[in-house]
């Protein structure tokens, strides 16, 4: 069962982004330690009362498309439209209003749309940071969307009540069926880069509508094929527009379907338009795949129309590598969905990445690796003069590969040493196309429960 997707909707400046940031526990601009990974976040994973779900900030989805200087009638129309498309994509909706300003015509426009849906709707009255404002929140009963819940995203007041109501509305959790898993490939990218053309060529038939109009594909389409006797599911997704080029209509929220497709896949094939070159939105989509810890391959499409000389291939590959530094493990394949150039390698490449995700290093071999890595380069501590030792390592998980390194103090390990160990793991074992998760733990964390047990016996 995939995680529910919750959309935050409401007119501008009611505090949606503030609440979003509090839910995901971070600022919208994510800055990693690796250069080139700064990007705006419009979605994030969170949990409440034992339920995981994904929350989407619709203000972020619109990339600044709301302009407070617009006439009230135009703002109302746009707000209504945004609510309409959001509820069609989400599993549940948090409708946020401003308790400080009171009910507006735009709130009524959104409420009218929400009243016509069967999706769960939680009415959150934000900016209620005093007793008086809490009492004033009752005026929103007039929206006929159930009990208005007063809250303050900024002061974290009442947010738990909103989430309690939200989680109660989720369908009961269903454990995944114990069926044999097979490779799921998501074809992702911004509009008009050739995703549907690639799918059709791989299938040898017109499975998806192909059009020169960006955004033709609006639904994720699953198609099962057999590849050398193995089942493979191809997921075609709606494109994601670049910032500033989002048109009015349902395609604004196609990103929500793409997020769902990425979550369901094992390997994402990110298509890049060789004619237009690499854009910020390409790296943004790659960031979505990285956040989901999925395998990825970079497919440079329309390679047949590029004028080439002896240096073209290497120069373009260098450009791609430079733009996608944060996923330097991703293989690059130059293709043409139109002519079929190198398409025989596409599914094979995805299968190879899938196999790398299933790889497990035996514990004994992994600790031999660790001893040699520490001998070649002793671990760096974040505090100068601190004594740091790495004791042993295990791989508790595959798909994606997770490596747990135990130290005398896991908090002392500098982030760059994690990068060093990841690079050494890749050099020795491959793991091409898949992220590797490196976790440092203090050895005392594992021993603590046993110590508590011994102390309890002594007390008894």
């Amino acid at each position: 069962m995939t995680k529910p997707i919750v959309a935050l909707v409401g007119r501008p400046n009611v505090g949606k982004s503030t609440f979003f940031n509090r839910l995901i526990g971070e600022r919208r601009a994510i800055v990693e330690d690796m250069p080139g990974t700064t990007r705006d976040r419009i979605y994030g994973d969170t949990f409440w009362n034992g339920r995981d779900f994904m929350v989407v900030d619709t203000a972020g989805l619109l990339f600044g498309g709301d302009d407070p200087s617009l006439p009230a009638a135009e703002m109302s129309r746009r707000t209504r439209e945004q609510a309409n498309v959001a509820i069609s994509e989400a599993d549940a909706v948090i409708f946020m209003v401003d308790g400080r300003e009171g009910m507006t015509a735009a709130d009524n426009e959104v409420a009218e749309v929400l009243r016509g849906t069967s999706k769960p709707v939680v009415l959150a009255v934000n900016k209620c940071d005093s007793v008086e404002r809490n009492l004033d929140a009752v005026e929103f009963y007039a929206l006929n969307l159930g009990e208005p819940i007063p809250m303050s995203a900024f002061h974290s007041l009442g947010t738990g009540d909103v989430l309690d109501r939200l989680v109660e509305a989720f369908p009961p959790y269903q454990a995944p069926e114990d069926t044999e898993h097979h490779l799921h490939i998501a074809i992702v990218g911004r509009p008009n880069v050739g995703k549907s053309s690639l799918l059709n060529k791989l299938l040898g038939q017109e499975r998806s509508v192909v059009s020169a109009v960006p955004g033709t594909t609006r639904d994720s389409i699953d198609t099962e094929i057999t590849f050398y006797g193995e089942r493979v599911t191809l997921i075609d997704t709606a494109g994601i527009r670049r910032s500033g080029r989002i048109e009015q209509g349902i395609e604004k929220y196609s990103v929500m379907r793409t997020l769902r497709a990425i979550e369901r896949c094992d390997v994402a094939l990110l298509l890049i338009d060789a004619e237009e070159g690499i854009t910020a939105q390409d790296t943004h989509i790659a960031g979505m795949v990285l956040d989901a810890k999925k395998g990825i391959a970079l497919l440079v499409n329309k390679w047949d129309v590029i004028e080439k000389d002896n240096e073209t291939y290497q120069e373009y590959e260098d450009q791609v590598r430079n733009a996608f530094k944060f996923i330097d493990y991703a293989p690059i394949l130059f293709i043409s969905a139109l002519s079929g150039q190198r398409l025989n390698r596409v599914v094979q490449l995805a299968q190879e990445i899938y196999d790398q995700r299933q790889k497990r290093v035996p514990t004994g071999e992994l600790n031999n690796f660790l001893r040699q890595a520490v001998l070649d380069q002793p671990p760096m501590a974040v505090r100068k003069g601190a004594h740091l030792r790495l004791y042993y390592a295990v791989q508790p998980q595959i798909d994606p590969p997770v490596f747990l390194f135990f130290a005398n103090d896991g908090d002392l390990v500098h982030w760059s040493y994690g990068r060093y160990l990841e690079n050494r793991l890749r050099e020795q074992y491959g793991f091409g196309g898949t992220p590797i998760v490196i976790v440092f733990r203090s050895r005392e964390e594992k021993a603590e429960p046993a110590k508590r047990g011994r102390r309890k016996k002594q007390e008894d």
Side-chain angles (χ1 to χ4, degrees):
M1 184 177 180
T2 58
K3 297 176 186 175
I5 290 182
V6 177
L8 288 174
V9 302
R11 58 187 176 84
N13 301 320
V14 296
K16 297 189 297 294
S17 294
T18 302
F19 188 42
F20 169 80
N21 292 338
R22 187 167 291 282
L23 287 179
I24 67 172
E26 59 192 22
R27 293 173 298 175
R28 284 187 67 189
I30 301 301
V31 182
E32 304 286 353
D33 294 315
M34 278 290 292
T37 59
T38 301
R39 60 186 184 275
D40 287 335
R41 289 292 297 273
I42 57 175
Y43 63 94
D45 291 322
T46 187
F47 67 94
W48 187 257
N49 285 350
R51 291 300 299 272
D52 294 317
F53 59 96
M54 185 179 295
V55 61
V56 181
D57 179 13
T58 57
L61 280 176
L62 294 173
F63 297 105
D66 285 329
D67 183 358
S69 66
L70 288 172
E74 175 64 13
M75 180 62 67
S76 177
R77 184 188 68 80
R78 291 194 180 188
T79 304
R80 179 188 178 100
E81 182 185 53
Q82 292 159 21
N84 204 3
V85 293
I87 62 176
S88 69
E89 304 296 338
D91 298 301
V93 175
I94 295 177
F95 175 29
M96 186 167 287
V97 294
D98 190 328
R100 188 176 300 166
E101 292 187 10
M103 196 160 54
T104 67
D107 293 330
N108 277 297
E109 294 280 353
V110 178
E112 185 177 342
V113 175
L114 293 173
R115 285 195 295 268
T117 181
S118 60
K119 306 285 181 67
V121 178
V122 178
L123 177 57
V125 186
N126 194 28
K127 304 182 185 179
C128 291
D129 46 12
S130 67
V131 175
E132 292 77 15
R133 290 209 178 108
N134 282 355
L135 295 175
D136 290 341
V138 297
E139 74 167 304
F140 290 96
Y141 269 108
L143 295 175
N144 197 22
L145 285 171
E147 180 187 1
I149 304 176
M151 60 163 284
S152 171
F154 184 79
H155 295 100
S156 192
L157 299 173
T159 55
D161 296 333
V162 172
L163 296 176
D164 284 344
R165 183 74 55 81
L166 176 72
V167 171
E168 287 172 3
F170 287 161
Y173 175 77
Q174 296 177 355
E177 296 181 6
D178 189 17
T179 57
E180 184 180 352
H181 186 73
H182 63 276
L183 171 60
H184 285 66
I185 303 171
I187 303 173
V188 300
R190 52 193 175 85
N192 216 27
V193 293
K195 298 185 302 301
S196 294
S197 296
L198 173 60
L199 178 65
N200 293 336
K201 205 75 174 182
L202 292 174
L203 297 175
Q205 57 181 314
E206 287 289 322
R207 177 63 178 82
S208 296
V209 177
V210 179
S211 168
V213 180
T216 299
T217 302
R218 291 199 172 118
D219 292 298
S220 295
I221 303 171
D222 289 9
T223 308
E224 191 170 301
I225 64 173
T226 301
F227 181 73
Y228 288 100
E230 299 290 335
R231 291 170 59 201
V232 175
T233 296
L234 301 175
I235 308 169
D236 184 25
T237 61
I240 306 175
R241 287 189 180 278
R242 294 195 299 272
S243 175
R245 289 188 59 185
I246 303 175
E247 302 292 337
Q248 298 298 319
I250 199 167
E251 59 192 285
K252 291 180 197 173
Y253 292 88
S254 63
V255 63
M256 298 165 78
R257 286 179 178 165
T258 300
L259 283 169
R260 204 187 299 270
I262 290 173
E263 184 186 349
R264 291 196 296 118
C265 81
D266 301 294
V267 178
L269 304 177
L270 174 55
L271 262 66
I272 301 165
D273 191 318
E275 285 187 291
E276 292 191 13
I278 304 157
T279 70
Q281 192 62 7
D282 293 325
T283 58
H284 183 84
I285 298 169
M288 293 180 181
V289 180
L290 175 61
D291 290 341
K293 299 293 187 293
K294 304 295 184 177
I296 187 170
L298 304 173
L299 306 187
V300 182
N301 193 27
K302 307 180 185 179
W303 188 242
D304 55 324
V305 300
I306 300 296
E307 293 185 13
K308 308 176 187 66
D309 56 30
N310 293 335
E311 306 295 327
T312 305
Y313 181 91
Q314 189 60 52
E315 289 175 355
Y316 210 107
E317 184 177 32
D318 291 343
Q319 290 178 31
V320 174
R321 284 286 173 224
N322 186 60
F324 294 92
K325 289 178 181 177
F326 57 97
I327 50 168
D328 53 4
Y329 52 82
I332 303 172
L333 186 63
F334 292 82
I335 66 168
S336 170
L338 185 63
S339 69
Q341 183 181 12
R342 297 191 185 90
L343 293 195
N344 61 322
R345 281 280 297 133
V346 171
V347 178
Q348 181 183 347
L349 181 60
Q351 183 67 58
E352 291 170 0
I353 295 172
Y354 179 70
D355 293 340
Q356 292 295 309
R357 290 175 65 80
Q358 314 303 316
K359 187 178 293 185
R360 187 182 294 276
V361 181
T363 302
E365 187 175 338
L366 183 59
N367 281 283
N368 289 337
F369 159 86
L370 177 61
R371 280 191 289 271
Q372 188 60 51
V374 169
L375 186 63
D376 293 341
Q377 183 173 318
M380 298 172 56
V382 292
R383 291 202 306 269
K384 200 169 183 180
H387 176 65
L388 176 62
R389 291 189 63 185
L390 293 180
Y391 296 119
Y392 61 95
V394 294
Q395 184 186 352
Q397 180 182 318
I398 60 172
D399 196 24
V402 176
F403 293 92
L404 197 56
F405 293 89
F406 285 92
N408 61 326
D409 189 343
D411 294 333
L412 287 178
V413 185
H414 195 274
W415 66 265
S416 61
Y417 202 76
R419 289 289 298 174
Y420 163 71
L421 290 175
E422 178 182 341
N423 291 335
R424 289 291 296 263
L425 283 167
R426 293 190 185 280
E427 289 172 8
Q428 189 157 336
Y429 300 107
F431 296 110
T434 182
I436 293 176
V437 181
I438 303 287
V439 180
F440 294 100
R441 289 268 180 86
S442 301
R443 191 167 66 173
E444 288 73 15
E445 292 179 19
K446 186 175 182 181
E448 189 63 29
K451 289 181 180 179
R452 285 197 299 267
R454 286 197 297 270
R455 283 199 298 267
K456 191 174 187 307
K457 286 183 179 179
Q458 291 171 0
E459 291 170 0
D460 294 342

